[in-house]
Amino acid sequence: MPLIPEEPQIHESAQGPRTAPTPRPVPGPRPAASSRPGRPGPPRPTPPVQRTPRDVAPVKPGPSGPAAPAATAAAPQIQLIPASAEGALDAAEEAVDLLLESGRAPGEVLVLTTGAQHPWAEHELSFGEASYWAQHDAGDDVFYADAALASRAATRPVVVVAVNGGPAGAAATALPLAHSRAGALLIVCGDPQRINSVLGAGV
């Protein structure tokens, strides 16, 4: 009896990788035990925070010793992430993702915007300012706020600023305030020329 050759089977691995577009989440109600506001989903492949600007050197703590001023010793490091006004908020979100992946607790991060509010902040403010600021005071999650309100925000180890538009002097006002609220690291996402003009003025 002649042998009938079997039909070759195509293994799934030979079909090539299957890709699906990453969905863009829509901000919704924030449950009491949520991991963090912002965008859930897989980590982004290109971490932007590790880029150190060439023209903005990180601010290094001053020399240690009794003669060193306390303010100089506690100066936060500054990192610049180049981005357009339209892309600054996305760049800030990517920076937050990387911070959390690197081990930062959500409550250590404050995100400020100079232009349009972050969608999470808009959503939470719809329930009233008392509820919104109560979440800030709890300090157990990433907090998003308008840069104009930075003076009301408490100091956190990391402050991320999205220079995403706003009035002409928004960045000049926001960056010094953000710098004063950053305990260890200040990350600024926006137009490098505009940011450097403010940073060079002695932030």
Side-chain angles (χ1 to χ4, degrees):
M1 179 173 180
L3 295 176
I4 301 174
E6 294 182 359
E7 296 214 5
Q9 295 182 355
I10 300 175
H11 295 284
E12 189 161 339
S13 60
Q15 297 177 12
R18 296 180 180 179
T19 58
T22 302
R24 292 183 66 84
V26 177
R30 179 170 164 265
S34 65
S35 59
R36 79 171 185 93
R39 60 176 75 177
R44 299 200 172 250
T46 306
V49 181
Q50 298 300 322
R51 287 184 261 169
T52 302
R54 296 179 181 176
D55 46 356
V56 179
V59 178
K60 296 181 180 179
S64 58
T72 302
Q77 180 187 17
I78 299 174
Q79 290 185 5
L80 170 62
I81 299 177
S84 65
E86 295 76 16
L89 196 55
D90 284 339
E93 278 288 276
E94 291 176 1
V96 172
D97 287 342
L98 183 64
L99 288 165
L100 299 183
E101 289 164 18
S102 68
R104 284 281 180 188
E108 295 182 347
V109 183
L110 170 66
V111 180
L112 302 174
T113 56
T114 63
Q117 284 268 32
H118 186 279
W120 179 88
E122 285 184 344
H123 176 78
E124 294 301 324
L125 281 167
S126 69
F127 297 104
E129 287 203 14
S131 171
Y132 173 74
W133 286 105
Q135 294 181 53
H136 165 271
D137 296 338
D140 57 3
D141 218 336
V142 179
F143 190 77
Y144 296 83
D146 190 306
L149 303 175
S151 58
R152 186 171 174 180
T155 299
R156 291 199 177 189
V158 183
V159 176
V160 181
V161 181
V163 184
N164 62 331
T173 303
L175 292 181
L177 277 171
H179 188 263
S180 69
R181 294 297 181 268
L185 178 62
L186 172 63
I187 300 172
V188 187
C189 307
D191 175 58
Q193 185 175 357
R194 184 179 181 187
I195 293 168
N196 284 324
S197 66
V198 178
L199 295 176
V203 170

